[in-house]
Amino acid sequence: MKVLFLSKKDDQHAERALAYIQNLDWEVLSIFGEWGEALPEEAANWEGDLIISYLSRWIVPEYLLNRATKAAINFHPAPPNYPGIGCINFALFNDEGTFGATCHHMKGKVDTGDIIKVSHFPVFEKDTIESLLNRTYDYQLILFYDVVNYFIENNRFAKSTEKWTREPYTRQEFNKLFEIKIEMSKDEVEKRIRAISYGPYQPWLELHGKKFYFNPD
């Protein structure tokens, strides 16, 4: 079976997922990249049976999805109520008690295809972006093993009864989460700091046309 595996560079979970399917009797073409990189020509020209998008930095074009004779699946690091971008950020902002990871069939529009399987786990009061992201990646890797094993045993993918519950979050919605306004309550500001503050990514306050970024310390 010919497989195209798309993922991001320098990620230990992605490398473990790839190693797992490389132990199978499959012909695997693996492509790793970063945000903003063009889809490499060897991926764009691929033809085969199965596309696996695992933390991929590319939106797979529909023409390429149609070349997969068996399926094109994606592993989304969030549950079905958080499609699109900034999923962990919005979950923390909304004080969710649970989160998850989703495997689904890919369509031309991101995070809309039929769901194969979902993994759910708790969110803790002291969770930060980093801690929740790490746990999400751990659960997503286990989900990957489960989905692949089911496919090996049944020559098809499972079908979940779960559905996407909203339209995918957009870049515009995500960017607005960074905005702090003078009139916001202390609770609102603290929620936004928890939901956004991660390394160089910090919320900001605009005064007189200039942006002032928060110091995480």
Side-chain angles (χ1 to χ4, degrees), residues 26 32 35 46 107 129 170 173:
W26 292 356
F32 292 81
W35 292 120
W46 176 89
K107 297 174 65 175
I129 294 175
T170 65
E173 290 175 299

Side-chain angles (χ1 to χ4, degrees), residues 82-96:
Y82 284 95
I85 190 173
C87 311
I88 285 178
N89 309 90
F90 284 111
L92 289 174
F93 179 75
N94 294 332
D95 293 323
E96 293 286 1

Side-chain angles (χ1 to χ4, degrees), residues 40 78 162 169 178 188 196:
E162 297 197 50
Y169 283 98
F178 283 79
E188 174 77 5
I196 288 297

Side-chain angles (χ1 to χ4, degrees), residues 1-4 25-27 46-52 64-73 151 157:
M1 188 167 74
K2 295 182 66 176
V3 178
L4 174 61
D25 189 23
W26 292 356
E27 180 184 334
W46 176 89
E47 294 183 15
D49 303 298
L50 176 63
I51 297 175
I52 299 176
L64 186 53
L65 298 178
N66 293 335
R67 288 183 185 166
T69 60
K70 288 188 177 294
I73 66 172
F151 178 78
F157 289 104

Side-chain angles (χ1 to χ4, degrees), residues 88 92 99 121 123 127-136:
I88 285 178
L92 289 174
F99 200 59
F121 51 86
V123 178
D127 265 324
T128 62
I129 294 175
E130 183 176 12
S131 65
L132 186 55
L133 182 65
N134 288 338
R135 192 154 67 255
T136 300

Side-chain angles (χ1 to χ4, degrees), residues 4-156:
L4 174 61
F5 181 87
L6 301 172
S7 193
K8 71 171 183 174
K9 293 179 181 176
D10 302 322
D11 183 88
Q12 61 176 336
H13 293 87
E15 291 169 359
R16 290 173 184 172
L18 174 61
Y20 194 76
I21 60 174
Q22 285 178 329
N23 286 326
L24 305 173
D25 189 23
W26 292 356
E27 180 184 334
V28 181
L29 171 61
S30 60
I31 306 290
F32 292 81
E34 298 287 1
W35 292 120
E37 292 183 5
L39 184 67
E41 185 176 350
E42 57 183 333
N45 294 332
W46 176 89
E47 294 183 15
D49 303 298
L50 176 63
I51 297 175
I52 299 176
S53 174
Y54 189 92
L55 300 177
S56 173
R57 275 22 198 166
W58 300 283
I59 296 177
V60 183
E62 195 163 7
Y63 79 84
L64 186 53
L65 298 178
N66 293 335
R67 288 183 185 166
T69 60
K70 288 188 177 294
I73 66 172
N74 179 56
F75 288 84
H76 177 63
N81 53 327
Y82 284 95
I85 190 173
C87 311
I88 285 178
N89 309 90
F90 284 111
L92 289 174
F93 179 75
N94 294 332
D95 293 323
E96 293 286 1
T98 60
F99 200 59
T102 304
C103 179
H104 65 94
H105 293 278
M106 284 191 283
K107 297 174 65 175
K109 184 177 180 180
V110 299
D111 299 343
T112 59
D114 292 342
I115 294 174
I116 296 170
K117 189 173 182 179
V118 182
S119 176
H120 296 280
F121 51 86
V123 178
F124 305 122
E125 186 176 345
K126 292 185 178 181
D127 265 324
T128 62
I129 294 175
E130 183 176 12
S131 65
L132 186 55
L133 182 65
N134 288 338
R135 192 154 67 255
T136 300
Y137 281 3
D138 288 342
Y139 274 90
Q140 182 175 270
L141 182 59
I142 295 172
L143 177 65
F144 177 86
Y145 295 150
D146 289 343
V147 168
V148 170
N149 289 342
Y150 186 97
F151 178 78
I152 293 170
E153 294 171 2
N154 299 277
N155 197 33
R156 62 180 177 85

